[in-house]
Amino acid sequence: MSEPARILVVDDDAGTRETLRDVLQAKGYAVDAASRGAEGLERLRTHPFDAAIVDIKLPDISGLELLQALRTQAADIEVIFITGYASLPTAIEAINGEAFAYLVKPFEMDHLLATLHKALNTQRLARALRESEERYRLIAENIQDAVFLVDRESRLVFGNRRGEEISGYTEAEFVGRPITDLLTPEGARRASERLAAADSGRDPVPFFETQLVRKDGSLVWVEANVTTVVRHGQIVGRLGVVRDISARKRAEEQMRLRTTALEAAANAVVITDREGRILWVNPAFTDLSGYTLAEAAGQTPRILKSGQHDAAFYRDLWETILAGRTWRGEIVNRHKDGGPYTEEQVVTSVRDERGEITHFVAIKQDVSERKRMQAQLIQSEKLAAMGQLLAGVAHELNNPLSVVTGHAAILKSTGDSRVADRAQKMADAAERCARIVRNFLALARQRPPERGRVALDQVVHEAVELLAYPLRVDSVEVALELARNLPALWADAHQLHQVVVNLVSNAHHAVREATSPRRITLTTRQEAGGDSVVLEVADSGRGIPREIQARLFEPFFTTKPPGQGTGLGLALCKGIVEAHGGSIEAASPPGSGAVFRVELPVENAPVAAAAARAAAASPPVRGQRILVVDDEAEIAALLSEMLAADGHRVEIAANGVEALEKLGAGGHDLVISDLRMPELDGPGFYLEVARRHPELLRRMVFVTGDTLGPESLEFLHRTNVPTLGKPFDLDDIRRVVQQVLV
């Protein structure tokens, strides 16, 4: 009967030593124990041992160092490491140091006994690759990753259970198969590089990622490392450790797709930490704000702050998102270049697995253009409403003003100079009232473009007169430095009036914020060569900041607080001036206010206009039979009196229906009709005349006391009927009558 195998147990834990001693002795082994590495070596010097069970962490010497010492004293002793601190590198190092097995505490005693039995059996067999295979197999079964062992010819020798799961092969199916069957070309290249590094003695390279080819041909992402297996100083094979990272790669791919989607998103996206520091922005944010990711990272959204919202606004925003609720709203922010813009923003919170807020995500959309369109619509609606109101006011004022100016003209023709002088004063006052009405209509865009000979100085006087009261209230001094004998412009006087009013209003706003003296200077002159005239409006305000000068004439750009400006005034001026072939520009010399310079070309009147003036200058036509149609009895009577004074025979009709009855009698040379009348208005009357008396269509004149709406404008443009505006004077009547009858 053979002697029992002698086993040395080295472990600093008394309980483990005693347990192992009892179990092993019960199985018939001769057991000796030591608590320290040095003590174990001393026992080995006095007694031979077949195997040693060694804790890899000892108080005086590491288990790996003890392994080498044991091999030095007893080359054929088999060593089984046990440890409570498992790690793959330590396991590999232990096996490369020729330990038989590596067991992780807690382990089954049956497992230990089986391992010890195999160790003692292999001790009696030839030490070759098969012995190494058994050792690696025992280690591999205690490792969660897949382990593959190949021989020196790179043929698979074995794989653990995890290896079978990842590859889809059973051990019997892949033993003897080339390892390249499990690797993509890229994976084979990376493994070859890893082995070359290990064989040359360089530090091992890190785990590398590649794709493993499964039995069914599908690919699975793995993280792999390859280590050289050495036995008695000779390379006997390769050990590959493979970890399935498919779930991680899927998560990374999902994250990549999310990031790609966010990168490509049309709306700006900002991700911040819980304190509001910016972590990431997409390119759309850069387009919106001007800030790149490098510039924005680490900053807070305060870099966009425009100053147009109070502290309560931002406090409400933060309280909402910190409470985990979504915040939606509009914010006026400031671009990197300083320009404001309006964005629609949605801010949501991101929570971790514990439900705590860790990040915030803001989705931003530039709605500046939409806001501009809304402002334009509101402005248009305001202008339309104002135009309707002024149209009614104009109608109610212009009719009595026509009576005043008409009778003043009649009185002036009397021989009494004192009466004529008083009549002139009446006419001047009435004309001033009419001019104010026209100016209001011009501002409301309720007059059609109408070119004629315009004296620029007169336009300036009228604009200042319109704004005289608010300027006087704010103690603003207005200086007029107007050149004499400026050439007349062929222009729309009302549109030029709008330009001057807007420029003076802007200057008024600028000086109102300044200390005394508050001064606005309007200068006109003719440029050298006589081809153009110039108007300059200068103020004593604080001037225009350089950074906004280039944007002054952009539609809806304004530096005024919300509710105090639409940003349309200067854009309107630019459009009018350029439509007249001119130019407008602004300057603000350092230390002084702003100067707006308007240059307009001097143009000759068109041939048609010259012909009209020539007709008016021809000898007056007298003795014609004229029908006056107006529902205002005083206006009709005044027209009749004026025309009768020039020798005409005049009949009066109160509306279009009555006028048609009178025309039925025949013999009329001219019809002067109001445009707006009850029962049958001007356009309806015109259609009936065209049907019943087409020969009179070229002998019709319309008069109107209010603004011309789109339908009326279209009608007059289509029919080309001469039109006379109220209030009118005797010269107006004579001119239009002469024009039609000549």
Side-chain angles (χ1 to χ4, degrees):
M1 184 176 180
S2 61
E3 293 183 357
R6 295 184 59 81
I7 311 299
L8 174 63
V9 176
V10 185
D11 197 310
D12 61 335
D13 182 79
T16 301
R17 290 197 308 274
E18 293 302 317
T19 299
L20 292 176
R21 183 196 299 272
D22 293 341
V23 171
L24 294 174
Q25 286 179 346
K27 293 296 183 180
Y29 294 107
V31 182
D32 202 351
S35 61
R36 303 172 66 85
E39 183 182 354
L41 291 174
E42 183 62 29
R43 300 289 175 83
L44 185 62
R45 277 193 291 269
T46 58
H47 298 90
F49 292 92
D50 299 300
I53 300 173
V54 180
D55 189 350
I56 205 165
K57 296 183 71 68
L58 296 169
D60 60 335
I61 184 173
S62 74
L64 296 174
E65 293 173 336
L66 179 59
L67 172 63
Q68 298 303 319
L70 291 173
R71 286 296 184 202
T72 302
Q73 293 190 27
D76 61 346
I77 189 171
E78 294 294 338
V79 177
I80 298 172
F81 277 125
I82 59 176
T83 182
Y85 304 90
S87 72
L88 181 60
T90 303
I92 293 174
E93 190 174 1
I95 297 305
N96 281 342
E98 299 188 358
F100 182 84
Y102 181 96
L103 301 183
V104 180
K105 299 178 182 178
F107 47 79
E108 297 290 334
M109 283 300 174
D110 288 343
H111 190 187
L112 172 64
L113 292 171
T115 302
L116 179 59
H117 179 71
K118 289 180 180 180
L120 295 173
N121 284 340
T122 56
Q123 186 187 45
R124 302 181 183 93
L125 301 175
R127 302 299 177 88
L129 180 60
R130 187 168 57 85
E131 296 172 347
S132 297
E133 173 190 342
E134 186 65 25
R135 291 187 169 99
Y136 282 111
R137 185 186 301 277
L138 291 171
I139 293 173
E141 295 301 340
N142 289 277
I143 297 175
Q144 295 301 313
D145 298 327
V147 177
F148 297 99
L149 180 66
V150 299
D151 61 19
R152 296 186 62 176
E153 286 70 38
S154 298
R155 292 186 298 268
L156 285 158
V157 175
F158 84 88
N160 65 353
R161 287 190 299 271
R162 184 62 180 145
E164 294 178 359
E165 293 172 2
I166 290 180
S167 68
Y169 292 98
T170 64
E171 182 178 2
E173 289 174 326
F174 63 62
V175 168
R177 183 185 295 273
I179 187 62
T180 52
D181 286 359
L182 299 184
L183 297 174
T184 63
E186 174 64 15
R189 184 185 67 79
R190 298 292 299 277
S192 178
E193 292 175 353
R194 175 65 181 84
L195 286 171
D199 292 347
S200 65
R202 301 196 305 270
D203 291 337
V205 299
F207 277 83
F208 62 91
E209 294 179 1
T210 187
Q211 287 182 296
L212 183 143
V213 182
R214 290 173 51 82
K215 177 183 177 181
D216 60 9
S218 61
L219 300 178
V220 57
W221 274 103
V222 297
E223 189 176 60
N225 196 358
V226 181
T227 305
T228 302
V229 178
V230 179
R231 186 70 169 169
H232 299 310
Q234 298 293 320
I235 297 176
V236 297
R238 316 288 185 183
L239 181 68
V241 180
V242 177
R243 180 176 303 144
D244 187 351
I245 59 170
S246 300
R248 191 186 80 195
K249 295 298 288 186
R250 285 193 296 270
E252 290 176 354
E253 179 65 13
Q254 291 174 358
M255 181 60 70
R256 186 191 67 80
L257 291 174
R258 292 191 190 103
T259 303
T260 301
L262 292 176
E263 290 275 358
N267 291 342
V269 180
V270 181
I271 300 176
T272 73
D273 61 17
R274 196 178 189 279
E275 285 68 43
R277 290 184 293 268
I278 295 174
L279 303 176
W280 184 86
V281 299
N282 68 342
F285 173 83
T286 301
D287 296 339
L288 175 65
S289 68
Y291 291 97
T292 64
L293 174 58
E295 293 170 327
Q299 303 283 346
T300 69
R302 282 192 292 272
I303 60 174
L304 306 175
K305 199 170 182 179
S306 66
Q308 296 194 29
H309 302 285
D310 58 18
F313 175 86
Y314 295 103
R315 185 166 57 250
D316 172 72
L317 189 158
W318 276 103
E319 288 176 353
T320 299
I321 61 177
L322 285 173
R325 300 191 302 273
T326 298
W327 186 91
R328 291 181 175 85
E330 289 184 357
I331 295 181
V332 178
N333 276 333
R334 191 169 298 279
H335 193 272
K336 180 182 176 182
D337 65 9
Y341 64 91
T342 303
E343 65 180 37
E344 196 171 67
Q345 186 174 162
V346 178
V347 187
T348 56
S349 58
V350 179
R351 299 177 182 269
D352 61 15
E353 62 276 3
R354 295 171 297 181
E356 296 181 359
I357 295 175
T358 58
H359 298 82
F360 296 109
V361 178
I363 310 296
K364 300 166 173 279
Q365 181 180 7
D366 187 353
V367 295
S368 301
E369 185 62 27
R370 188 179 75 193
K371 299 295 287 185
R372 291 190 188 101
M373 295 300 293
Q374 290 175 348
Q376 186 177 21
L377 177 61
I378 292 172
Q379 184 69 5
S380 298
E381 291 175 346
K382 287 181 178 178
L383 289 173
M386 185 171 68
Q388 292 177 356
L389 175 63
L390 290 177
V393 172
H395 183 270
E396 295 302 318
L397 286 178
N398 283 334
N399 279 329
L401 285 175
S402 295
V403 176
V404 173
T405 56
H407 285 293
I410 293 173
L411 290 174
K412 283 192 297 181
S413 64
T414 64
D416 191 331
S417 60
R418 290 179 300 174
V419 173
D421 184 56
R422 289 180 179 273
Q424 184 60 50
K425 291 180 180 180
M426 293 168 55
D428 291 343
E431 174 57 27
R432 181 182 178 187
C433 292
R435 191 164 59 245
I436 291 173
V437 172
R438 288 197 300 269
N439 291 338
F440 274 124
L441 291 175
L443 287 176
R445 294 185 180 181
Q446 293 295 316
R447 293 187 62 92
E450 185 177 332
R451 297 289 181 98
R453 292 176 59 84
V454 177
L456 181 59
D457 288 354
Q458 181 180 349
V459 172
V460 171
H461 276 293
E462 292 176 355
V464 172
E465 181 182 65
L466 180 64
L467 300 173
Y469 179 74
L471 291 169
R472 187 167 61 251
V473 168
D474 286 334
S475 302
V476 179
E477 176 188 353
V478 179
L480 301 180
E481 299 177 1
L482 308 180
R484 294 183 177 180
N485 301 319
L486 281 178
L489 302 174
W490 184 251
D492 186 309
H494 301 292
Q495 289 186 333
L496 294 187
H497 182 272
Q498 286 186 359
V499 172
V500 180
V501 167
N502 271 299
L503 295 181
V504 174
S505 296
N506 277 0
H508 181 194
H509 186 274
V511 300
R512 189 169 53 195
E513 299 176 351
T515 57
S516 297
R518 297 174 175 176
R519 182 180 177 87
I520 300 174
T521 303
L522 290 91
T523 304
T524 61
R525 65 176 180 274
Q526 185 173 8
E527 285 292 84
D531 293 335
S532 62
V533 296
V534 172
L535 165 67
E536 289 183 350
V537 180
D539 63 65
S540 60
R542 287 180 288 186
I544 308 169
R546 182 181 299 274
E547 62 270 15
I548 69 170
Q549 288 186 24
R551 303 188 62 193
L552 284 176
F553 298 101
E554 292 182 9
F556 302 101
F557 177 80
T558 179
T559 58
K560 297 175 183 178
Q564 296 187 24
T566 64
L568 291 172
L570 290 178
L572 175 65
C573 291
K574 181 179 176 67
I576 291 174
V577 171
E578 291 182 348
H580 281 77
S583 63
I584 182 171
E585 58 187 18
S588 185
S592 62
V595 179
F596 285 84
R597 182 179 185 275
V598 176
E599 184 172 355
L600 294 166
V602 176
E603 298 178 346
N604 293 324
V607 175
R613 292 198 301 273
S618 61
V621 177
R622 297 179 179 274
Q624 302 297 303
R625 186 178 178 187
I626 300 175
L627 176 62
V628 173
V629 187
D630 200 306
D631 61 313
E632 290 278 347
E634 292 186 356
I635 297 292
L638 178 63
L639 281 171
S640 177
E641 186 175 353
M642 287 180 169
L643 294 168
D646 281 349
H648 298 295
R649 293 169 293 157
V650 183
E651 291 183 71
I652 295 175
N655 54 60
V657 174
E658 185 179 337
L660 288 173
E661 293 177 357
K662 292 183 178 293
L663 290 177
H668 293 86
D669 301 301
L670 177 66
V671 178
I672 300 177
S673 173
D674 193 5
L675 194 62
R676 293 180 59 182
M677 298 178 294
E679 296 191 41
L680 185 62
D681 63 4
F685 176 52
Y686 180 87
L687 292 176
E688 287 299 317
V689 171
R691 187 172 66 85
R692 303 181 189 186
H693 311 285
E695 70 281 1
L696 288 176
L697 289 181
R698 298 178 59 85
R699 297 292 184 94
M700 291 190 71
V701 174
F702 281 113
V703 293
T704 179
D706 60 4
T707 180
L708 298 178
E711 294 181 358
S712 298
L713 282 175
E714 193 278 330
F715 165 73
L716 292 176
H717 177 75
R718 175 168 45 82
T719 58
N720 200 28
V721 177
T723 305
L724 187 64
K726 298 176 183 179
F728 44 77
D729 58 22
L730 186 56
D731 290 338
D732 292 333
I733 300 299
R734 285 172 176 165
R735 175 181 56 80
V736 74
V737 169
Q738 189 79 357
Q739 177 184 344
V740 174
L741 292 178
V742 169

PDB file of all heavy atoms in Angstrom, residues 106-124:
ATOM      1  N   PRO A 106     -15.281  31.996  -1.625  1.00  0.00           N
ATOM      2  CA  PRO A 106     -15.388  30.648  -1.027  1.00  0.00           C
ATOM      3  C   PRO A 106     -15.535  29.601  -2.123  1.00  0.00           C
ATOM      4  O   PRO A 106     -16.140  29.862  -3.158  1.00  0.00           O
ATOM      5  CB  PRO A 106     -16.654  30.751  -0.195  1.00  0.00           C
ATOM      6  CG  PRO A 106     -17.496  31.747  -0.934  1.00  0.00           C
ATOM      7  CD  PRO A 106     -16.544  32.730  -1.541  1.00  0.00           C
ATOM      8  N   PHE A 107     -14.978  28.447  -1.942  1.00  0.00           N
ATOM      9  CA  PHE A 107     -15.075  27.379  -2.929  1.00  0.00           C
ATOM     10  C   PHE A 107     -15.628  26.123  -2.255  1.00  0.00           C
ATOM     11  O   PHE A 107     -15.580  25.965  -1.028  1.00  0.00           O
ATOM     12  CB  PHE A 107     -13.712  27.093  -3.553  1.00  0.00           C
ATOM     13  CG  PHE A 107     -12.605  26.965  -2.534  1.00  0.00           C
ATOM     14  CD1 PHE A 107     -12.437  25.807  -1.802  1.00  0.00           C
ATOM     15  CD2 PHE A 107     -11.740  28.022  -2.293  1.00  0.00           C
ATOM     16  CE1 PHE A 107     -11.425  25.693  -0.865  1.00  0.00           C
ATOM     17  CE2 PHE A 107     -10.723  27.910  -1.352  1.00  0.00           C
ATOM     18  CZ  PHE A 107     -10.551  26.752  -0.637  1.00  0.00           C
ATOM     19  N   GLU A 108     -16.140  25.245  -3.074  1.00  0.00           N
ATOM     20  CA  GLU A 108     -16.654  23.982  -2.570  1.00  0.00           C
ATOM     21  C   GLU A 108     -15.473  23.063  -2.230  1.00  0.00           C
ATOM     22  O   GLU A 108     -14.493  22.969  -2.993  1.00  0.00           O
ATOM     23  CB  GLU A 108     -17.543  23.308  -3.598  1.00  0.00           C
ATOM     24  CG  GLU A 108     -18.805  24.112  -3.961  1.00  0.00           C
ATOM     25  CD  GLU A 108     -19.787  24.146  -2.812  1.00  0.00           C
ATOM     26  OE1 GLU A 108     -19.757  23.205  -1.975  1.00  0.00           O
ATOM     27  OE2 GLU A 108     -20.565  25.097  -2.743  1.00  0.00           O
ATOM     28  N   MET A 109     -15.544  22.398  -1.095  1.00  0.00           N
ATOM     29  CA  MET A 109     -14.458  21.495  -0.708  1.00  0.00           C
ATOM     30  C   MET A 109     -14.307  20.367  -1.719  1.00  0.00           C
ATOM     31  O   MET A 109     -13.194  19.905  -2.008  1.00  0.00           O
ATOM     32  CB  MET A 109     -14.707  20.937   0.695  1.00  0.00           C
ATOM     33  CG  MET A 109     -14.388  21.939   1.794  1.00  0.00           C
ATOM     34  SD  MET A 109     -12.655  22.427   1.724  1.00  0.00           S
ATOM     35  CE  MET A 109     -12.638  23.718   2.968  1.00  0.00           C
ATOM     36  N   ASP A 110     -15.437  19.949  -2.276  1.00  0.00           N
ATOM     37  CA  ASP A 110     -15.353  18.905  -3.304  1.00  0.00           C
ATOM     38  C   ASP A 110     -14.558  19.404  -4.502  1.00  0.00           C
ATOM     39  O   ASP A 110     -13.817  18.637  -5.132  1.00  0.00           O
ATOM     40  CB  ASP A 110     -16.752  18.480  -3.726  1.00  0.00           C
ATOM     41  CG  ASP A 110     -17.459  17.668  -2.649  1.00  0.00           C
ATOM     42  OD1 ASP A 110     -16.769  17.165  -1.742  1.00  0.00           O
ATOM     43  OD2 ASP A 110     -18.704  17.549  -2.725  1.00  0.00           O
ATOM     44  N   HIS A 111     -14.748  20.684  -4.801  1.00  0.00           N
ATOM     45  CA  HIS A 111     -13.997  21.278  -5.920  1.00  0.00           C
ATOM     46  C   HIS A 111     -12.505  21.277  -5.605  1.00  0.00           C
ATOM     47  O   HIS A 111     -11.658  20.942  -6.446  1.00  0.00           O
ATOM     48  CB  HIS A 111     -14.506  22.695  -6.168  1.00  0.00           C
ATOM     49  CG  HIS A 111     -13.980  23.307  -7.427  1.00  0.00           C
ATOM     50  ND1 HIS A 111     -14.197  24.607  -7.785  1.00  0.00           N
ATOM     51  CD2 HIS A 111     -13.239  22.779  -8.432  1.00  0.00           C
ATOM     52  CE1 HIS A 111     -13.610  24.855  -8.923  1.00  0.00           C
ATOM     53  NE2 HIS A 111     -13.022  23.755  -9.350  1.00  0.00           N
ATOM     54  N   LEU A 112     -12.170  21.656  -4.365  1.00  0.00           N
ATOM     55  CA  LEU A 112     -10.762  21.676  -3.968  1.00  0.00           C
ATOM     56  C   LEU A 112     -10.174  20.269  -4.009  1.00  0.00           C
ATOM     57  O   LEU A 112      -9.060  20.047  -4.521  1.00  0.00           O
ATOM     58  CB  LEU A 112     -10.626  22.263  -2.564  1.00  0.00           C
ATOM     59  CG  LEU A 112      -9.224  22.181  -1.944  1.00  0.00           C
ATOM     60  CD1 LEU A 112      -8.236  23.002  -2.746  1.00  0.00           C
ATOM     61  CD2 LEU A 112      -9.235  22.640  -0.486  1.00  0.00           C
ATOM     62  N   LEU A 113     -10.914  19.302  -3.472  1.00  0.00           N
ATOM     63  CA  LEU A 113     -10.411  17.932  -3.453  1.00  0.00           C
ATOM     64  C   LEU A 113     -10.208  17.400  -4.862  1.00  0.00           C
ATOM     65  O   LEU A 113      -9.211  16.715  -5.150  1.00  0.00           O
ATOM     66  CB  LEU A 113     -11.378  17.038  -2.673  1.00  0.00           C
ATOM     67  CG  LEU A 113     -11.464  17.324  -1.158  1.00  0.00           C
ATOM     68  CD1 LEU A 113     -12.596  16.528  -0.526  1.00  0.00           C
ATOM     69  CD2 LEU A 113     -10.134  17.018  -0.471  1.00  0.00           C
ATOM     70  N   ALA A 114     -11.158  17.735  -5.738  1.00  0.00           N
ATOM     71  CA  ALA A 114     -11.008  17.284  -7.127  1.00  0.00           C
ATOM     72  C   ALA A 114      -9.788  17.932  -7.768  1.00  0.00           C
ATOM     73  O   ALA A 114      -9.036  17.283  -8.516  1.00  0.00           O
ATOM     74  CB  ALA A 114     -12.271  17.617  -7.905  1.00  0.00           C
ATOM     75  N   THR A 115      -9.609  19.217  -7.471  1.00  0.00           N
ATOM     76  CA  THR A 115      -8.455  19.921  -8.034  1.00  0.00           C
ATOM     77  C   THR A 115      -7.152  19.314  -7.511  1.00  0.00           C
ATOM     78  O   THR A 115      -6.186  19.098  -8.270  1.00  0.00           O
ATOM     79  CB  THR A 115      -8.520  21.421  -7.673  1.00  0.00           C
ATOM     80  OG1 THR A 115      -9.731  21.968  -8.172  1.00  0.00           O
ATOM     81  CG2 THR A 115      -7.364  22.180  -8.261  1.00  0.00           C
ATOM     82  N   LEU A 116      -7.138  19.046  -6.229  1.00  0.00           N
ATOM     83  CA  LEU A 116      -5.929  18.452  -5.637  1.00  0.00           C
ATOM     84  C   LEU A 116      -5.661  17.072  -6.234  1.00  0.00           C
ATOM     85  O   LEU A 116      -4.502  16.715  -6.533  1.00  0.00           O
ATOM     86  CB  LEU A 116      -6.112  18.355  -4.123  1.00  0.00           C
ATOM     87  CG  LEU A 116      -4.961  17.735  -3.334  1.00  0.00           C
ATOM     88  CD1 LEU A 116      -3.672  18.529  -3.538  1.00  0.00           C
ATOM     89  CD2 LEU A 116      -5.308  17.658  -1.847  1.00  0.00           C
ATOM     90  N   HIS A 117      -6.725  16.323  -6.427  1.00  0.00           N
ATOM     91  CA  HIS A 117      -6.567  14.987  -7.011  1.00  0.00           C
ATOM     92  C   HIS A 117      -5.968  15.084  -8.413  1.00  0.00           C
ATOM     93  O   HIS A 117      -5.054  14.315  -8.766  1.00  0.00           O
ATOM     94  CB  HIS A 117      -7.923  14.286  -7.046  1.00  0.00           C
ATOM     95  CG  HIS A 117      -7.866  12.925  -7.658  1.00  0.00           C
ATOM     96  ND1 HIS A 117      -7.265  11.832  -7.047  1.00  0.00           N
ATOM     97  CD2 HIS A 117      -8.348  12.470  -8.859  1.00  0.00           C
ATOM     98  CE1 HIS A 117      -7.360  10.792  -7.835  1.00  0.00           C
ATOM     99  NE2 HIS A 117      -8.021  11.145  -8.942  1.00  0.00           N
ATOM    100  N   LYS A 118      -6.467  16.016  -9.207  1.00  0.00           N
ATOM    101  CA  LYS A 118      -5.931  16.189 -10.564  1.00  0.00           C
ATOM    102  C   LYS A 118      -4.483  16.638 -10.517  1.00  0.00           C
ATOM    103  O   LYS A 118      -3.644  16.212 -11.325  1.00  0.00           O
ATOM    104  CB  LYS A 118      -6.769  17.198 -11.330  1.00  0.00           C
ATOM    105  CG  LYS A 118      -8.145  16.683 -11.699  1.00  0.00           C
ATOM    106  CD  LYS A 118      -8.927  17.745 -12.450  1.00  0.00           C
ATOM    107  CE  LYS A 118     -10.320  17.225 -12.812  1.00  0.00           C
ATOM    108  NZ  LYS A 118     -11.118  18.254 -13.543  1.00  0.00           N
ATOM    109  N   ALA A 119      -4.202  17.502  -9.565  1.00  0.00           N
ATOM    110  CA  ALA A 119      -2.821  17.979  -9.458  1.00  0.00           C
ATOM    111  C   ALA A 119      -1.869  16.823  -9.158  1.00  0.00           C
ATOM    112  O   ALA A 119      -0.774  16.720  -9.733  1.00  0.00           O
ATOM    113  CB  ALA A 119      -2.730  19.051  -8.374  1.00  0.00           C
ATOM    114  N   LEU A 120      -2.278  15.969  -8.254  1.00  0.00           N
ATOM    115  CA  LEU A 120      -1.422  14.834  -7.911  1.00  0.00           C
ATOM    116  C   LEU A 120      -1.308  13.843  -9.064  1.00  0.00           C
ATOM    117  O   LEU A 120      -0.252  13.236  -9.289  1.00  0.00           O
ATOM    118  CB  LEU A 120      -1.967  14.146  -6.658  1.00  0.00           C
ATOM    119  CG  LEU A 120      -1.933  15.013  -5.384  1.00  0.00           C
ATOM    120  CD1 LEU A 120      -2.647  14.310  -4.236  1.00  0.00           C
ATOM    121  CD2 LEU A 120      -0.498  15.346  -5.005  1.00  0.00           C
ATOM    122  N   ASN A 121      -2.402  13.713  -9.834  1.00  0.00           N
ATOM    123  CA  ASN A 121      -2.358  12.825 -10.999  1.00  0.00           C
ATOM    124  C   ASN A 121      -1.422  13.374 -12.067  1.00  0.00           C
ATOM    125  O   ASN A 121      -0.614  12.634 -12.645  1.00  0.00           O
ATOM    126  CB  ASN A 121      -3.747  12.629 -11.582  1.00  0.00           C
ATOM    127  CG  ASN A 121      -4.584  11.673 -10.739  1.00  0.00           C
ATOM    128  OD1 ASN A 121      -4.054  10.874  -9.947  1.00  0.00           O
ATOM    129  ND2 ASN A 121      -5.897  11.744 -10.895  1.00  0.00           N
ATOM    130  N   THR A 122      -1.574  14.676 -12.371  1.00  0.00           N
ATOM    131  CA  THR A 122      -0.724  15.266 -13.408  1.00  0.00           C
ATOM    132  C   THR A 122       0.738  15.298 -12.981  1.00  0.00           C
ATOM    133  O   THR A 122       1.635  15.346 -13.833  1.00  0.00           O
ATOM    134  CB  THR A 122      -1.182  16.699 -13.721  1.00  0.00           C
ATOM    135  OG1 THR A 122      -1.194  17.471 -12.515  1.00  0.00           O
ATOM    136  CG2 THR A 122      -2.546  16.730 -14.362  1.00  0.00           C
ATOM    137  N   GLN A 123       0.956  15.270 -11.649  1.00  0.00           N
ATOM    138  CA  GLN A 123       2.348  15.228 -11.186  1.00  0.00           C
ATOM    139  C   GLN A 123       3.033  13.963 -11.652  1.00  0.00           C
ATOM    140  O   GLN A 123       4.238  13.944 -11.879  1.00  0.00           O
ATOM    141  CB  GLN A 123       2.366  15.343  -9.652  1.00  0.00           C
ATOM    142  CG  GLN A 123       3.753  15.453  -9.055  1.00  0.00           C
ATOM    143  CD  GLN A 123       3.730  15.383  -7.548  1.00  0.00           C
ATOM    144  OE1 GLN A 123       3.038  14.520  -6.988  1.00  0.00           O
ATOM    145  NE2 GLN A 123       4.459  16.280  -6.897  1.00  0.00           N
ATOM    146  N   ARG A 124       2.232  12.937 -11.764  1.00  0.00           N
ATOM    147  CA  ARG A 124       2.784  11.635 -12.156  1.00  0.00           C
ATOM    148  C   ARG A 124       2.857  11.474 -13.675  1.00  0.00           C
ATOM    149  O   ARG A 124       3.387  10.494 -14.163  1.00  0.00           O
ATOM    150  CB  ARG A 124       1.929  10.512 -11.557  1.00  0.00           C
ATOM    151  CG  ARG A 124       1.831  10.577 -10.026  1.00  0.00           C
ATOM    152  CD  ARG A 124       0.992   9.430  -9.493  1.00  0.00           C
ATOM    153  NE  ARG A 124       0.827   9.512  -8.035  1.00  0.00           N
ATOM    154  CZ  ARG A 124      -0.194  10.100  -7.443  1.00  0.00           C
ATOM    155  NH1 ARG A 124      -1.157  10.633  -8.168  1.00  0.00           N
ATOM    156  NH2 ARG A 124      -0.266  10.130  -6.127  1.00  0.00           N
TER     157      ARG A 124
END
